[in-house]
Amino acid sequence: MFDFILNKLPLLLLIGVGLYLAGWTILKDLLFPDHIGTVLGLPDLLHPDGPNGCCSWAEGGFLPLQVKLDNEEVVQAEVSPCSLCMDSLKPGDRVSVNRIRHRLMARRAPTWRIKRC
C-alpha cells in the first residue's frame, strides 16, 4: 500500500491532469468555440525566399486572417501557417475563433461531412 502511494499515485495523478487538459482543449475547439465565422481573405502564402513555398517564415509563427463572424462583425484573427497549408483554408470556409489572452486564434471549424471520391 505504501509503495502504491509513493510510486504509482503521483504518476496516475499527472496522467489524469494531462488527459483533462488535453480533453478540455479539444472539446473547447470542437464543441464550445468563442465565435464561428467565415474566412474573407487569406494572406499571401508563397514567399519567394521561403523553402518550397512554405509560409512558416512568418514572424511570431502566425499569419493574419480576416474573418466575418456570424454576428456580421469582421475581425482580424491569427492562424497558424501549418493550418493554412494542411487544412487548405480558402475564402468561404468556416472557422472557429477563440480568444487566447489578447489574441484571436482561428482554426478550421469541424464540418461533419463525409468526403466521397
Side-chain angles (χ1 to χ4, degrees):
M1 180 68 175
F2 193 68
D3 181 50
F4 175 77
I5 292 173
L6 286 179
N7 293 330
K8 295 195 171 50
L9 188 60
L11 181 63
L12 291 174
L13 287 175
L14 284 174
I15 290 172
V17 168
L19 289 174
Y20 170 77
L21 292 175
W24 177 249
T25 302
I26 291 169
L27 286 177
K28 178 154 177 41
D29 284 342
L30 292 178
L31 301 178
F32 309 113
D34 293 339
H35 303 285
I36 297 284
T38 306
V39 175
L40 291 181
L42 294 175
D44 292 333
L45 293 178
L46 299 178
H47 190 273
D49 298 329
N52 299 324
C54 179
C55 54
S56 61
W57 50 267
E59 188 170 329
F62 295 98
L63 296 172
L65 182 73
Q66 279 192 329
V67 178
K68 182 177 181 182
L69 301 178
D70 285 345
N71 62 3
E72 302 300 320
E73 181 183 358
V74 177
V75 296
Q76 186 83 15
E78 295 178 356
V79 65
S80 164
C82 297
S83 178
L84 282 175
C85 293
M86 290 188 301
D87 287 344
S88 303
L89 281 177
K90 55 189 176 297
D93 284 349
R94 303 286 288 169
V95 292
S96 63
V97 179
N98 288 311
R99 179 169 297 281
I100 300 174
R101 294 187 185 160
H102 64 281
R103 305 166 95 173
L104 287 175
M105 302 300 294
R107 292 189 179 121
R108 180 183 285 279
T111 57
W112 308 102
R113 294 180 290 186
I114 297 173
K115 293 183 180 179
R116 298 187 180 180
C117 298

